Amino acid sequence: MNFGIDKQTLEELNLLGKFKQGSVYHLFNHVRTRGAEKLLDDMFRHPLTDENEINARSGIFRFFRSLQLSFPFDVQQISLMRDYMDSSASKQAAMVLAGMHMRKILSSLTRDERYKKNIQGLHAVIITLNKAYEFARSIPDTDHPYAGRIMEIRGILDQKWLEKLRRMDIYQSMSVNTIAFYEHLLKAKHFKEMENILQFIYETDVYISVSKVAADRGFGYAYALPSDANVFSAKDLSHPCITGAISNDVKMDTGKNVFFLTGANMAGKSTLMKSIGIAMYLAHMGFPVAAANLEFSVREGMYSSINVADNIGLGYSHFYAEVVRVKRAAEAAASGKRLLLMFDELFKGTNVKDAYDGTLAVTDGFSGYSQCLFIVSTHITEVGEALDRNSNIRFRYMPTVMEGAHPRYTYKLEEGITEDRQGMMIIRNEGILELLDAGGRP
């Protein structure tokens, strides 16, 4: 089963983007090797949906964090080994030997570099295999979630032929026959094992780099529960990409599967919603999360409506684009899937009366899908008052503290529904009315 998430949700939560400053991917992308970057990208694009697999990966990240390792491999040598393994070679030993002799002759008669590259590649293999052997042996033999993988790699590296290769002196001249012999072994007979070693190195790169980010930023780890538990419970949750972000406790469950969030504009509602969505996504990846601890039920997907824009190409107004977005979310919920659905300031593209009616009706309707978790935010506080009869809605708000005529935002959740209304005060504080009065006078 694949984790369902669409392009808009990915963009609203700023999850992907290798070169995108402020993205969650950019935050964790400190890997050293090309293969690790591909692995990291695959992890981001394919969250897990089995609680056992999630907890297993999370356990590995915890383990690597406890070891506090630095990446032990030479990146240049790994790159040379990768190029060496990717270069073509015959599966017939005699053909490999004949080709090697030919490249040797050409290297002395012309500027053909292939023979030299063969030697460099084999040297890189020897260096990298020895690093892998030392690293695998340095990992404690105690019971840990990566023990099986370590034993697998040790088993490969302990093979007699590979031990003999590892012990070769790369500073001594190698015969053409020796170079050809090992090229045939590495690229034909034992290619899969060499790929396994390289994959292990890439995994190590990801586990070390991601765990270091977690340690540097004080991130915690999530624990996955079966989907039918229908829980999201986070302690000290914050936005991972905001330095010094204020943390909050957030809880949703079957009895309170709707999180209704009110607060003034700029009070922090959108950021909190994004923090929850990012945490849920990272948790499904088995990655560290910006929370002291987090327990969650596995979801089949996630759907957000935070920064809906109009669509000129389709002739959609902002309001109609919102309606289409909500319709798609409703269809997803009605399909019976267990989802996390997030709606920020519903129907802000229309008048206040319609926004009130629409937010009330949609929230009330969605609350009936007990297999899903919902977050709805609005600054139309009257909606919350009308929904107070619903027993499965948890009401929280982001307060505004007035210091004289100036608002201050705490970004800390409080229980209940806010009555803050500072819109006109902010307009006055910015001197807009005075500017308009002055400009309108002859």
Side-chain angles (χ1 to χ4, degrees):
M1 182 179 67
N2 294 324
F3 186 88
I5 187 167
D6 64 358
K7 182 179 179 182
Q8 180 170 322
T9 304
L10 289 169
E11 290 177 350
E12 288 181 340
L13 301 181
N14 203 11
L15 288 165
L16 305 181
K18 177 180 176 181
F19 302 108
K20 192 176 179 182
Q21 292 288 337
S23 72
V24 180
Y25 181 92
H26 187 269
L27 172 68
F28 284 103
N29 185 21
H30 296 278
V31 295
R32 307 282 303 281
T33 59
R34 289 177 293 173
E37 192 167 75
K38 290 179 181 178
L39 178 59
L40 183 68
D41 185 74
D42 184 69
M43 289 178 171
F44 262 90
R45 293 184 182 278
H46 302 97
L48 305 172
T49 54
D50 178 86
E51 65 269 20
N52 296 318
E53 292 180 10
I54 292 169
N55 290 330
R57 182 184 287 174
S58 179
I60 294 172
F61 279 120
R62 286 175 185 260
F63 173 68
F64 270 84
R65 180 171 174 174
S66 70
L67 296 178
Q68 298 182 331
L69 299 171
S70 297
F71 188 61
F73 297 91
D74 186 307
V75 175
Q76 184 178 4
Q77 296 301 321
I78 293 170
S79 181
L80 287 172
M81 179 178 174
R82 175 76 275 167
D83 292 342
Y84 174 81
M85 294 303 302
D86 287 342
S87 60
S88 60
S90 174
K91 292 185 178 181
Q92 301 297 321
M95 294 294 292
V96 173
L97 180 60
M100 196 63 66
H101 276 288
M102 180 59 68
R103 286 194 287 273
K104 170 69 171 176
I105 294 169
L106 290 173
S107 69
S108 61
L109 297 177
T110 68
R111 295 182 178 180
D112 193 304
E113 296 284 322
R114 287 177 296 171
Y115 184 70
K116 179 181 177 181
K117 287 183 178 180
N118 276 120
I119 296 174
Q120 290 175 336
L122 186 55
H123 285 177
V125 170
I126 295 169
I127 292 169
T128 302
L129 290 177
N130 276 307
K131 288 284 186 181
Y133 180 84
E134 293 168 8
F135 177 73
R137 288 291 171 188
S138 72
I139 302 298
D141 286 329
T142 54
D143 185 32
H144 56 78
Y146 209 51
R149 186 73 169 120
I150 292 293
M151 293 305 297
E152 179 186 10
I153 296 303
R154 286 181 184 177
I156 295 172
L157 293 169
D158 283 339
Q159 293 179 86
K160 293 297 183 183
W161 75 272
L162 207 50
E163 182 180 356
K164 185 176 180 181
L165 174 62
R166 286 192 296 102
R167 293 182 181 278
M168 290 188 67
D169 187 351
I170 62 173
Y171 299 104
Q172 297 293 322
S173 177
M174 296 182 186
S175 69
V176 176
N177 286 9
T178 298
I179 296 170
F181 173 73
Y182 280 111
E183 175 154 324
H184 173 65
L185 282 181
L186 292 166
K187 296 184 181 182
K189 294 187 68 175
H190 299 283
F191 180 80
K192 289 184 178 179
E193 291 168 306
M194 292 303 100
E195 284 296 303
N196 202 350
I197 295 292
L198 282 168
Q199 187 64 25
F200 167 72
I201 293 170
Y202 302 150
E203 291 169 12
T204 299
D205 193 359
V206 170
Y207 290 134
I208 289 175
S209 61
V210 170
S211 299
K212 188 176 188 308
V213 172
D216 291 345
R217 295 195 169 241
F219 290 170
Y221 293 85
Y223 184 77
L225 301 169
S227 59
D228 55 4
N230 213 34
V231 170
F232 179 91
S233 180
K235 176 73 173 176
D236 293 332
L237 173 71
S238 64
H239 196 295
C241 301
I242 298 177
T243 303
I246 303 298
S247 62
N248 282 283
D249 297 346
V250 177
K251 185 172 183 179
M252 292 176 279
D253 51 41
T254 301
K256 297 284 187 182
N257 69 311
V258 179
F259 193 92
F260 192 84
L261 181 62
T262 54
N265 288 322
M266 301 195 300
K269 301 189 301 298
S270 298
T271 300
L272 177 64
M273 191 172 291
K274 291 176 182 179
S275 301
I276 295 169
I278 292 168
M280 182 68 91
Y281 195 82
L282 288 174
H284 279 81
M285 292 167 56
F287 268 46
V289 294
N293 55 65
L294 186 145
E295 284 191 347
F296 72 103
S297 300
V298 173
R299 304 286 86 186
E300 294 176 70
M302 186 165 61
Y303 201 89
S304 72
S305 180
I306 299 174
N307 302 316
V308 179
D310 57 8
N311 192 319
I312 297 174
L314 294 175
Y316 290 0
S317 66
H318 184 104
F319 172 66
Y320 190 69
E322 288 183 294
V323 171
V324 170
R325 191 77 180 150
V326 172
K327 178 184 177 182
R328 290 174 181 165
E331 291 170 344
S335 70
K337 291 182 178 179
R338 298 182 180 276
L339 307 167
L340 170 65
L341 301 170
M342 302 182 292
F343 304 97
D344 184 31
E345 300 286 3
L346 275 170
F347 308 124
K348 51 183 172 283
T350 188
N351 63 78
V352 175
K353 178 64 169 64
D354 283 343
Y356 168 86
D357 291 339
T359 302
L360 176 59
V362 167
T363 305
D364 192 40
F366 273 124
S367 68
Y369 292 99
S370 59
Q371 83 279 8
C372 294
L373 300 175
F374 301 92
I375 309 170
V376 179
S377 80
T378 183
H379 60 267
I380 306 174
T381 59
E382 292 82 0
V383 177
E385 295 165 2
L387 288 168
D388 194 43
R389 66 183 184 276
N390 295 53
S391 61
N392 62 327
I393 298 179
R394 178 172 276 114
F395 297 95
R396 295 290 184 270
Y397 71 93
M398 305 293 278
T400 303
V401 178
M402 295 307 302
E403 296 178 343
H406 297 279
R408 177 174 62 84
Y409 307 106
T410 68
Y411 307 119
K412 292 293 291 184
L413 276 173
E414 295 191 19
E415 187 172 351
I417 302 169
T418 185
E419 295 182 0
D420 296 334
R421 300 176 190 274
Q422 284 85 33
M424 280 303 299
M425 185 172 291
I426 294 171
I427 290 172
R428 291 192 183 96
N429 287 344
E430 294 300 317
I432 294 173
L433 300 180
E434 289 83 354
L435 286 171
L436 292 173
D437 287 344
R441 291 170 187 162

